[in-house]
Amino acid sequence: MTTPPPAPIAPPRGGTRSRAPAMRGHRGSSLLRRYVGDRRFLLALPRAVGLQILHPAIATALDEHVAMRLWYHKARTVSQTIDMAYDDRDQRHRMINIHGHVGGIDDRGARFHALNPDVFHFQHATYVETLVLAVNTFISPMSDRDHERLYAECCEWYLRFGVSARPMPPDWASFGDYFERVCARQLRLTPAGRALAPEVLRPTSWVPRLLPAVAVRELLHPRTRELLDVRKRPGDRAAFHSYATGVRMAATIAPPRIRYVPSARATRPPPSA
């Protein structure tokens, strides 16, 4: 079965608009803006990227259209995506510029396009799921209420991209159901995914290169471990717990230039006198 063509990026209501959907609440109260620019989210990215290389369309696109190594590509594209969470200007044209030319045929002959809502939304969903994991693991466990609130802000973040929100679940619980369903039914190991797997399992550039091997194994989604045949080792859980504790402690003394990406630092309130 072929993938349907991407839904067009809708023009703003009422003609030209200079701003994207605003985040809920004041800048200082946004959970998304508090967390997505924290480099501890970037540290957890092998979880998201490990799932992406198991999606046939995304894996093929990465294998055929990325001229650089995987993590150099992610350093550029993920950074741009994060920046959009901090910029209230309408930047939907950026998604066309970045993804508009990306399409092709996967290993089973199905056509795909990067802006197809089902493909594009799942890729974004891997970042959302990884962000939540990173917060709960490397920053501080969230309450049920904050899970719901952060997810709602992630939905607003997605709307900034201008791609159809048809696949987007309405709340955190339904997002979990959607995510596990896609992982179970659509992900598989393709030749493209197999070629990309070594870079996921042993990152050699950008922030994820700092991860020890045990942290990579523990961060991977269970479906990724299953399809890539990554087996946990005795002591992994305890070692990862110690590592995560160390990351949390180090962040308390890290200066903002180390802890946050530039767009996050620019929007943070000044320190109290």
Side-chain angles (χ1 to χ4, degrees):
M1 183 175 70
T2 60
T3 301
I9 294 183
R13 291 183 180 179
T16 302
R17 184 172 70 179
S18 60
R19 292 185 178 273
M23 293 296 169
R24 296 187 179 204
H26 187 270
R27 281 175 179 264
S29 66
S30 166
L31 292 182
L32 178 63
R33 282 174 163 162
R34 182 187 305 175
Y35 294 134
V36 77
D38 190 309
R39 293 186 194 275
R40 286 173 286 183
F41 165 52
L42 305 181
L43 204 59
L45 282 177
R47 184 177 181 92
V49 179
L51 291 165
Q52 291 171 17
I53 68 164
L54 295 171
H55 188 287
I58 299 173
T60 303
L62 288 169
D63 189 50
E64 295 183 354
H65 295 275
V66 174
M68 60 194 80
R69 294 177 65 180
L70 178 64
W71 288 109
Y72 285 108
H73 167 74
K74 288 299 178 182
R76 179 174 62 86
T77 58
V78 175
S79 295
Q80 290 174 333
T81 303
I82 290 172
D83 289 348
M84 291 182 72
Y86 294 95
D87 193 335
D88 288 334
R89 293 174 298 177
D90 189 342
Q91 299 186 66
R92 285 172 287 181
H93 63 282
R94 293 177 68 177
M95 289 299 105
I96 300 177
N97 294 337
I98 296 170
H99 299 286
H101 68 289
V102 179
I105 301 174
D106 71 17
D107 63 311
R108 292 183 178 175
R111 299 192 63 84
F112 69 88
H113 193 282
L115 291 177
N116 176 273
D118 292 317
V119 175
F120 189 88
H121 181 267
F122 179 72
Q123 177 163 273
H124 180 70
T126 65
Y127 295 131
V128 173
E129 196 262 359
T130 295
L131 174 61
V132 171
L133 178 93
V135 174
N136 285 322
T137 303
F138 293 136
I139 301 177
S140 179
M142 290 189 294
S143 66
D144 291 343
R145 181 177 179 181
D146 280 348
H147 278 94
E148 201 66 59
R149 179 180 162 199
L150 178 57
Y151 177 69
E153 292 181 13
C154 286
C155 291
E156 293 166 359
W157 183 28
Y158 181 83
L159 294 176
R160 290 168 173 248
F161 306 143
V163 179
S164 169
R166 171 177 51 78
M168 187 171 70
D171 53 43
W172 175 242
S174 55
F175 173 83
D177 293 340
Y178 151 83
F179 198 79
E180 295 309 312
R181 183 170 62 252
V182 174
C183 289
R185 297 180 182 178
Q186 297 186 25
L187 302 191
R188 55 186 173 83
L189 182 59
T190 65
R194 185 175 291 107
L196 293 164
E199 291 189 75
V200 172
L201 299 179
R202 185 62 274 168
T204 56
S205 61
W206 202 30
V207 177
R209 79 183 188 281
L210 302 173
L211 287 165
V214 63
V216 175
R217 290 195 298 272
E218 285 293 309
L219 285 167
L220 294 177
H221 188 279
R223 183 65 168 150
T224 305
R225 286 197 292 266
E226 175 191 352
L227 292 175
L228 295 184
D229 195 25
V230 175
R231 301 181 183 181
K232 290 188 177 185
R233 303 177 186 179
D236 273 4
R237 178 172 295 183
F240 182 66
H241 176 76
S242 296
Y243 174 76
T245 300
V247 169
R248 290 193 298 271
M249 293 177 62
T252 64
I253 59 174
R257 65 183 177 82
I258 298 296
R259 183 171 171 181
Y260 299 103
V261 302
S263 55
R265 294 200 304 270
T267 59
R268 287 185 62 79
S272 302

